[in-house]
Amino acid sequence: MELSELKIIDLKESILADNDADAAKLRGETKDMGVYYINVMSSPGAGKTTTLLNLIDQLRSDYRIGVLEADIDGDVDTRTMLDAGVASVQLHTGGMCHLDADMSRQSLREIGAEDLDLVILENVGNLVCPAEFDTGADLDLVILSVPEGDDKPLKYPLMFEKADLVCLNKIDALEAFDFDLDKFRANVALRNPDAPVFPYSAATGEGVREIADWLRAKIDAKIK
């Protein structure tokens, strides 16, 4: 190529295509190990950690569970999990706001996934970047909270298009916010008509059992 020739390379397309192939390979690897892998995504403050603690309480009698805590820095959530008796590994992303399939593979190796039945990734708090990269998870669970507003599926379409399950947290605060539950369901359906929506409260426990039962059916279909 001559120096005067302009050449443009679309790196994002190549990177994402390579990652998608690796993610599919990782799903085969976890199937062989008998492990179900869930990727949990939300904005900061939506209640991921509290939600996971509630769900783990519902599921831990049936499965050996480990949690991967992904953050740009810090270890607050990992310490919370360990204090609750949940096997957990802290992942520092080095400034990146997402995990990809190979990062997942490294993390599953570090937590000893071969000795677990269920591994849950608490992804970096962000409604944009984590949705762009397939982690190799069996299921993408998206959490939104009532204070964030019922219009978020319209503003962050990719996140809700990727979701296999949408959980709406903090319904105990519905009366305090201008949040229309029917409108939210309709907005989710515009982006992803196949994604079920479960309203719940991590603070009171309302609706958590229904989410756990739905997940249990998905987990058992893969590992039992």
Side-chain angles (χ1 to χ4, degrees):
M1 184 181 76
E2 296 184 6
L3 294 179
S4 59
E5 181 182 347
L6 175 63
K7 187 172 184 180
I8 299 174
I9 302 173
D10 189 347
L11 289 175
K12 182 177 180 181
E13 181 178 356
S14 176
I15 290 170
L16 292 179
D18 289 347
N19 183 71
D20 288 347
D22 195 29
K25 180 180 177 183
L26 180 57
R27 274 185 281 275
E29 293 169 5
T30 56
K31 181 176 178 60
D32 290 343
M33 286 191 288
V35 174
Y36 197 83
Y37 184 31
I38 298 176
N39 174 33
V40 179
M41 298 178 285
S42 81
S43 59
K48 289 193 299 297
T49 305
T50 306
T51 298
L52 292 185
L53 288 171
N54 287 347
L55 288 173
I56 289 168
D57 279 345
Q58 295 284 332
L59 298 170
R60 68 195 313 169
S61 62
D62 299 318
Y63 312 107
R64 299 168 297 170
I65 302 173
V67 176
L68 305 172
E69 293 287 356
D71 291 289
I72 292 173
D73 204 350
D75 60 8
V76 174
D77 294 336
T78 300
R79 290 184 182 277
T80 299
M81 288 292 167
L82 292 173
D83 288 345
V86 181
S88 185
V89 170
Q90 180 66 53
L91 314 177
H92 284 166
T93 62
M96 291 184 290
C97 56
H98 70 273
L99 264 72
D100 60 23
D102 192 55
M103 293 175 186
S104 283
R105 181 179 288 106
Q106 295 175 54
S107 305
L108 290 165
R109 185 182 307 122
E110 288 301 318
I111 202 169
E114 66 276 4
D115 296 321
L116 300 171
D117 305 306
L118 171 62
V119 177
I120 304 171
L121 166 64
E122 184 175 343
N123 214 319
V124 180
N126 190 313
L127 285 178
V128 181
C129 303
E132 295 182 348
F133 288 83
D134 189 339
T135 62
D138 297 293
L139 184 139
D140 290 318
L141 189 163
V142 174
I143 297 174
L144 191 85
S145 63
V146 166
E148 296 174 77
D150 52 37
D151 60 349
K152 290 304 176 287
L154 305 181
K155 293 185 175 182
Y156 300 94
L158 183 60
M159 177 62 71
F160 291 88
E161 289 167 6
K162 289 282 295 283
D164 298 299
L165 173 64
V166 176
C167 295
L168 176 66
N169 192 17
K170 305 184 183 179
I171 59 169
D172 51 303
L174 271 173
E175 293 183 1
F177 292 90
D178 183 19
F179 190 101
D180 188 321
L181 183 53
D182 290 335
K183 184 181 292 184
F184 177 69
R185 290 184 184 275
N187 288 341
V188 171
L190 281 174
R191 299 304 186 191
N192 188 344
D194 296 324
V197 176
F198 281 83
Y200 75 105
S201 169
T204 68
E206 179 185 357
V208 173
R209 180 181 296 276
E210 287 78 7
I211 300 170
D213 288 344
W214 189 91
L215 290 173
R216 189 179 286 106
K218 295 290 183 181
I219 298 165
D220 289 350
K222 178 181 180 180
I223 70 171
K224 291 188 176 181

